[in-house]
mmCIF file of all heavy atoms in Angstrom:
data_model
loop_
_atom_site.group_PDB
_atom_site.id
_atom_site.type_symbol
_atom_site.label_atom_id
_atom_site.label_comp_id
_atom_site.label_asym_id
_atom_site.label_seq_id
_atom_site.Cartn_x
_atom_site.Cartn_y
_atom_site.Cartn_z
ATOM 1 N N PRO A 470 -28.114 -16.448 -13.494
ATOM 2 C CA PRO A 470 -29.528 -16.710 -13.643
ATOM 3 C C PRO A 470 -29.872 -18.390 -13.703
ATOM 4 O O PRO A 470 -30.768 -18.758 -13.244
ATOM 5 C CB PRO A 470 -29.972 -16.099 -14.938
ATOM 6 C CG PRO A 470 -28.981 -14.976 -15.108
ATOM 7 C CD PRO A 470 -27.668 -15.494 -14.536
ATOM 8 N N ALA A 471 -28.962 -19.020 -14.434
ATOM 9 C CA ALA A 471 -29.021 -20.527 -14.533
ATOM 10 C C ALA A 471 -28.886 -21.101 -13.173
ATOM 11 O O ALA A 471 -29.630 -22.017 -12.775
ATOM 12 C CB ALA A 471 -28.005 -21.029 -15.524
ATOM 13 N N TRP A 472 -27.991 -20.622 -12.288
ATOM 14 C CA TRP A 472 -27.872 -21.064 -10.955
ATOM 15 C C TRP A 472 -29.182 -20.933 -10.128
ATOM 16 O O TRP A 472 -29.671 -21.767 -9.456
ATOM 17 C CB TRP A 472 -26.689 -20.422 -10.271
ATOM 18 C CG TRP A 472 -26.335 -20.932 -8.950
ATOM 19 C CD1 TRP A 472 -26.488 -22.158 -8.428
ATOM 20 C CD2 TRP A 472 -25.698 -20.217 -7.904
ATOM 21 N NE1 TRP A 472 -26.036 -22.331 -7.173
ATOM 22 C CE2 TRP A 472 -25.490 -21.007 -6.751
ATOM 23 C CE3 TRP A 472 -25.189 -18.853 -7.763
ATOM 24 C CZ2 TRP A 472 -24.856 -20.671 -5.592
ATOM 25 C CZ3 TRP A 472 -24.614 -18.459 -6.630
ATOM 26 C CH2 TRP A 472 -24.439 -19.339 -5.546
ATOM 27 N N ALA A 473 -29.762 -19.699 -10.291
ATOM 28 C CA ALA A 473 -30.978 -19.444 -9.547
ATOM 29 C C ALA A 473 -32.051 -20.327 -9.997
ATOM 30 O O ALA A 473 -32.886 -20.852 -9.176
ATOM 31 C CB ALA A 473 -31.375 -17.910 -9.814
ATOM 32 N N ILE A 474 -32.207 -20.489 -11.312
ATOM 33 C CA ILE A 474 -33.190 -21.412 -11.933
ATOM 34 C C ILE A 474 -33.040 -22.833 -11.278
ATOM 35 O O ILE A 474 -34.019 -23.572 -11.013
ATOM 36 C CB ILE A 474 -33.211 -21.366 -13.428
ATOM 37 C CG1 ILE A 474 -33.631 -19.991 -13.855
ATOM 38 C CG2 ILE A 474 -34.127 -22.441 -14.015
ATOM 39 C CD1 ILE A 474 -33.361 -19.701 -15.381
ATOM 40 N N LEU A 475 -31.780 -23.303 -11.308
ATOM 41 C CA LEU A 475 -31.534 -24.650 -10.743
ATOM 42 C C LEU A 475 -31.974 -24.696 -9.277
ATOM 43 O O LEU A 475 -32.547 -25.817 -8.880
ATOM 44 C CB LEU A 475 -30.043 -24.911 -10.909
ATOM 45 C CG LEU A 475 -29.539 -26.282 -10.233
ATOM 46 C CD1 LEU A 475 -30.216 -27.473 -10.772
ATOM 47 C CD2 LEU A 475 -27.980 -26.452 -10.217
ATOM 48 N N MET A 476 -31.667 -23.724 -8.524
ATOM 49 C CA MET A 476 -32.067 -23.734 -7.121
ATOM 50 C C MET A 476 -33.517 -23.799 -6.944
ATOM 51 O O MET A 476 -34.067 -24.454 -6.011
ATOM 52 C CB MET A 476 -31.477 -22.594 -6.368
ATOM 53 C CG MET A 476 -29.827 -22.727 -6.218
ATOM 54 S SD MET A 476 -29.105 -21.575 -5.005
ATOM 55 C CE MET A 476 -29.039 -20.099 -6.162
ATOM 56 N N LEU A 477 -34.232 -23.009 -7.811
ATOM 57 C CA LEU A 477 -35.726 -23.067 -7.778
ATOM 58 C C LEU A 477 -36.212 -24.423 -8.074
ATOM 59 O O LEU A 477 -37.132 -24.964 -7.352
ATOM 60 C CB LEU A 477 -36.322 -22.001 -8.700
ATOM 61 C CG LEU A 477 -37.799 -22.034 -8.877
ATOM 62 C CD1 LEU A 477 -38.579 -21.727 -7.530
ATOM 63 C CD2 LEU A 477 -38.221 -21.022 -9.910
ATOM 64 N N TYR A 478 -35.694 -24.994 -9.087
ATOM 65 C CA TYR A 478 -36.066 -26.324 -9.434
ATOM 66 C C TYR A 478 -35.993 -27.399 -8.328
ATOM 67 O O TYR A 478 -36.859 -28.171 -7.979
ATOM 68 C CB TYR A 478 -35.319 -26.840 -10.713
ATOM 69 C CG TYR A 478 -35.565 -28.337 -10.992
ATOM 70 C CD1 TYR A 478 -36.787 -28.728 -11.650
ATOM 71 C CD2 TYR A 478 -34.645 -29.282 -10.676
ATOM 72 C CE1 TYR A 478 -36.989 -30.080 -11.896
ATOM 73 C CE2 TYR A 478 -34.815 -30.565 -10.937
ATOM 74 C CZ TYR A 478 -36.015 -30.977 -11.571
ATOM 75 O OH TYR A 478 -36.294 -32.285 -11.842
ATOM 76 N N LEU A 479 -34.756 -27.266 -7.655
ATOM 77 C CA LEU A 479 -34.514 -28.187 -6.612
ATOM 78 C C LEU A 479 -35.412 -27.991 -5.364
ATOM 79 O O LEU A 479 -35.796 -28.883 -4.661
ATOM 80 C CB LEU A 479 -33.081 -28.117 -6.190
ATOM 81 C CG LEU A 479 -32.039 -28.700 -7.166
ATOM 82 C CD1 LEU A 479 -30.624 -28.489 -6.720
ATOM 83 C CD2 LEU A 479 -32.315 -30.199 -7.395
ATOM 84 N N THR A 480 -35.715 -26.688 -5.149
ATOM 85 C CA THR A 480 -36.643 -26.311 -4.086
ATOM 86 C C THR A 480 -38.040 -26.970 -4.199
ATOM 87 O O THR A 480 -38.668 -27.388 -3.315
ATOM 88 C CB THR A 480 -36.749 -24.780 -3.954
ATOM 89 O OG1 THR A 480 -35.508 -24.207 -3.703
ATOM 90 C CG2 THR A 480 -37.703 -24.443 -2.812
ATOM 91 N N VAL A 481 -38.491 -27.038 -5.496
ATOM 92 C CA VAL A 481 -39.714 -27.609 -5.799
ATOM 93 C C VAL A 481 -39.686 -29.105 -5.894
ATOM 94 O O VAL A 481 -40.474 -29.844 -5.357
ATOM 95 C CB VAL A 481 -40.294 -27.020 -7.083
ATOM 96 C CG1 VAL A 481 -41.615 -27.746 -7.482
ATOM 97 C CG2 VAL A 481 -40.475 -25.523 -6.959
ATOM 98 N N ALA A 482 -38.656 -29.615 -6.596
ATOM 99 C CA ALA A 482 -38.606 -31.050 -7.015
ATOM 100 C C ALA A 482 -37.950 -31.881 -5.966
ATOM 101 O O ALA A 482 -38.259 -33.033 -5.706
ATOM 102 C CB ALA A 482 -37.923 -31.254 -8.375
ATOM 103 N N ALA A 483 -36.897 -31.356 -5.263
ATOM 104 C CA ALA A 483 -36.177 -32.210 -4.300
ATOM 105 C C ALA A 483 -35.637 -31.281 -3.195
ATOM 106 O O ALA A 483 -34.492 -31.005 -3.059
ATOM 107 C CB ALA A 483 -34.910 -32.790 -4.958
ATOM 108 N N PRO A 484 -36.588 -30.757 -2.397
ATOM 109 C CA PRO A 484 -36.306 -29.784 -1.314
ATOM 110 C C PRO A 484 -35.265 -30.287 -0.297
ATOM 111 O O PRO A 484 -34.541 -29.452 0.266
ATOM 112 C CB PRO A 484 -37.692 -29.494 -0.640
ATOM 113 C CG PRO A 484 -38.504 -30.658 -0.994
ATOM 114 C CD PRO A 484 -38.059 -31.093 -2.426
ATOM 115 N N GLU A 485 -35.257 -31.631 -0.161
ATOM 116 C CA GLU A 485 -34.309 -32.102 0.786
ATOM 117 C C GLU A 485 -32.840 -31.809 0.332
ATOM 118 O O GLU A 485 -31.896 -31.691 1.232
ATOM 119 C CB GLU A 485 -34.450 -33.555 1.020
ATOM 120 C CG GLU A 485 -34.135 -34.468 -0.147
ATOM 121 C CD GLU A 485 -35.247 -34.530 -1.209
ATOM 122 O OE1 GLU A 485 -36.273 -33.944 -0.975
ATOM 123 O OE2 GLU A 485 -35.090 -35.123 -2.224
#
Side-chain angles (χ1 to χ4, degrees):
W472 186 28
I474 293 168
L475 172 63
M476 288 189 283
L477 172 61
Y478 171 77
L479 292 175
T480 300
V481 174
E485 68 282 355

